[in-house]
Amino acid sequence: MYEEVFEGMNYTNQEIADMFNKTFDEDYYEDNSQDLVCVKDIEVFSYCEHHLALMYDMKVSVAYIPNKKVIGLSKIARIADMAAKRLQLQERLGNDIAEIIEMVTDSKDIAVLIEASHSCMTARGIKNAGAKTYTQTLRGRFKTEPELLARIR
């Protein structure tokens, strides 16, 4: 079981990028394009590095503005899944996914939104069953152009 759920710990972000580096060159994507690619509600789970508690009902949304190449859509989900298969913090997970997507696509314009329940909040401690945690990792134009972020929500 541990080999499966912690498989991502065997790989660096660069190795995950190399593993899922299947892109397609697309000449029609110009600099400053308003086109974007977004895959929403990728279901993953992870374990909190502080409590070894399950992070569940986790939904990851990844968006990027293509920079002359696009990644295979299933690879986005595979990257999110492999990055989650580590002892993680939700905040770091967003950064890891963004970093890997940047390595594969050469895009600097990336957004990763994550919603999750944490059993360290729901099953122990405060025991607030309805609590959810939302994080967003924004890079490039997603930081400076709020209308882009609004397009993926």
Side-chain angles (χ1 to χ4, degrees):
M1 178 199 123
Y2 291 119
E3 281 183 33
E4 179 182 340
V5 299
F6 297 128
E7 179 183 7
M9 294 178 72
N10 295 319
Y11 306 104
T12 65
N13 285 351
Q14 183 62 61
E15 290 170 326
I16 294 172
D18 293 343
M19 193 181 310
F20 299 117
N21 188 357
K22 177 61 177 163
T23 61
F24 307 94
D25 293 335
E26 297 299 337
D27 294 335
Y28 61 85
Y29 287 114
E30 303 171 8
D31 293 338
N32 299 317
S33 169
Q34 290 299 314
D35 292 344
L36 67 85
V37 176
C38 180
V39 178
K40 293 179 81 167
D41 297 333
I42 301 165
E43 294 184 3
V44 301
F45 68 90
S46 192
Y47 287 87
C48 169
E49 70 179 41
H50 294 127
H51 308 106
L52 295 178
L54 183 63
M55 292 187 280
Y56 61 97
D57 292 339
M58 186 177 281
K59 292 186 180 171
V60 177
S61 296
V62 178
Y64 72 98
I65 297 172
N67 180 24
K68 299 193 171 123
K69 59 184 175 178
V70 294
I71 185 174
L73 295 176
S74 70
K75 301 307 182 261
I76 295 172
R78 291 179 190 278
I79 287 168
D81 183 62
M82 188 63 75
K85 288 182 175 180
R86 298 170 169 165
L87 291 173
Q88 268 294 16
L89 296 175
Q90 184 171 325
E91 300 87 341
R92 186 181 317 112
L93 177 58
N95 278 301
D96 285 349
I97 293 168
E99 182 177 295
I100 296 164
I101 295 292
E102 182 176 347
M103 290 175 186
V104 173
T105 65
D106 294 329
S107 176
K108 302 283 185 208
D109 307 309
I110 300 166
V112 180
L113 310 177
I114 304 175
E115 168 188 331
S117 297
H118 293 244
S119 60
C120 55
M121 288 277 295
T122 62
R124 61 167 297 279
I126 190 71
K127 296 182 183 171
N128 188 317
K132 289 196 180 267
T133 302
Y134 297 88
T135 56
Q136 61 182 26
T137 302
L138 306 177
R139 298 206 173 155
R141 291 170 53 196
F142 283 99
K143 272 185 170 177
T144 59
E145 300 176 30
E147 64 276 7
L148 289 175
L149 188 57
R151 289 173 58 188
I152 64 172
R153 291 198 180 224

